[in-house]
Amino acid sequence: GAGVSQTPSNKVTEKGKYVELRCDPISGHTALYWYRQSLGQGPEFLIYFQGTGAADDSGLPNDRFFAVRPEGSVSTLKIQRTERGDSAVYLCASSLGGDSPLHFGNGTRLTVT
Amino acid sequence: GNSVTQMEGPVTLSEEAFLTINCTYTATGYPSLFWYVQYPGEGLQLLLKATKADDKGSNKGFEATYRKETTSFHLEKGSVQVSDSAVYFCALRQGDTGRRALTFGSGTRLQVQP
């Protein structure tokens, strides 16, 4: 079956611009996570949705980062006024909730020039 | 706060060699522990997990035992194959607060040569 889909796979943007990254979770998965992975590092937690609501947004680094999941399926991560330090691979994962395993997408590689 | 420390890579082994990738953690309470693997060109996928002390997780010939006394969760495999070449991530999820986020280590790249 279809896995977690993230688009675009690559995004290059200029410093100061606004970007949106999209995640299509596995159908029926109620939990959705965003992580950020810098080169040579493990994924770093950003935000977790249970259904439509953000159950834990403690990992968002500052108020330039925002994420939504209005209908409880697709999610969009939004980054305003991008900075070069935002360059990383942004990973999305979904699960059935509880202790069920996370299924990760292949990520969006964001490069801020 | 929570943290996971893994041995640095790359780890380079010949086919059929024994593998150990060390992982230690710092956490409050009783975390669940995981190993994730990322094969070239693919997304992270769960390899194995253990949810309480002395549990052993196993999958595809890999094993890891949750050692609370040493706060460790080392990954082992008795005989690696070229197809095991990947990046391996140790991770924990804090168990007693309901927080669902995983905390990952920095990853260890394994290269298996024929």
Side-chain angles (χ1 to χ4, degrees):
Chain A
V4 176
S5 175
Q6 292 189 245
T7 54
S9 55
N10 281 284
K11 176 70 176 177
V12 180
T13 191
E14 293 180 348
K15 179 176 178 296
K17 299 291 188 182
Y18 168 84
V19 296
E20 290 189 351
L21 311 179
R22 176 187 169 103
C23 173
D24 276 278
I26 293 172
S27 178
H29 280 194
T30 58
L32 185 146
Y33 302 76
W34 284 99
Y35 285 82
R36 177 170 68 176
Q37 187 173 16
S38 300
L39 191 63
Q41 300 298 314
E44 175 190 21
F45 170 74
L46 295 176
I47 186 169
Y48 154 58
F49 288 89
Q50 181 58 47
T52 60
D56 183 352
D57 65 357
S58 62
L60 294 177
N62 51 61
D63 61 5
R64 295 187 298 106
F65 289 74
F66 189 71
V68 295
R69 195 185 185 201
E71 297 177 358
S73 58
V74 170
S75 177
T76 304
L77 179 66
K78 309 180 181 194
I79 310 174
Q80 299 177 322
R81 304 184 304 280
T82 51
E83 301 177 356
R84 293 195 180 89
D86 299 334
S87 297
V89 176
Y90 288 82
L91 299 171
C92 177
S94 70
S95 80
L96 289 168
D99 286 333
S100 58
L102 270 60
H103 297 261
F104 281 84
N106 285 358
T108 294
R109 182 177 298 278
L110 175 66
T111 303
V112 182
T113 62
Chain B
N2 299 337
S3 67
V4 176
T5 302
Q6 292 182 234
M7 62 189 290
E8 288 191 20
V11 174
T12 303
L13 295 174
S14 297
E15 208 165 20
E16 300 184 3
F18 184 86
L19 169 70
T20 300
I21 300 178
N22 289 340
C23 170
T24 57
Y25 68 89
T26 301
T28 56
Y30 302 93
S32 295
L33 302 174
F34 305 83
W35 278 99
Y36 278 79
V37 59
Q38 188 169 30
Y39 297 104
E42 298 184 17
L44 279 162
Q45 55 187 275
L46 179 64
L47 180 60
L48 54 84
K49 70 176 184 179
T51 57
K52 61 182 188 294
D54 300 325
D55 268 3
K56 177 185 285 187
S58 61
N59 186 25
K60 299 182 180 180
F62 290 88
E63 294 183 339
T65 301
Y66 188 146
R67 301 287 188 199
K68 189 163 179 63
E69 63 276 13
T70 54
T71 61
S72 65
F73 193 54
H74 304 321
L75 183 68
E76 296 182 335
K77 186 174 185 182
S79 176
V80 294
Q81 305 301 312
V82 172
S83 58
D84 294 326
S85 298
V87 182
Y88 293 80
F89 293 90
C90 186
L92 69 82
R93 183 171 60 214
Q94 197 160 327
D96 56 353
T97 65
R99 192 159 182 264
R100 310 311 303 170
L102 290 170
T103 300
F104 285 88
S106 57
T108 303
R109 181 176 299 277
L110 171 64
Q111 298 172 335
V112 181
Q113 299 175 336

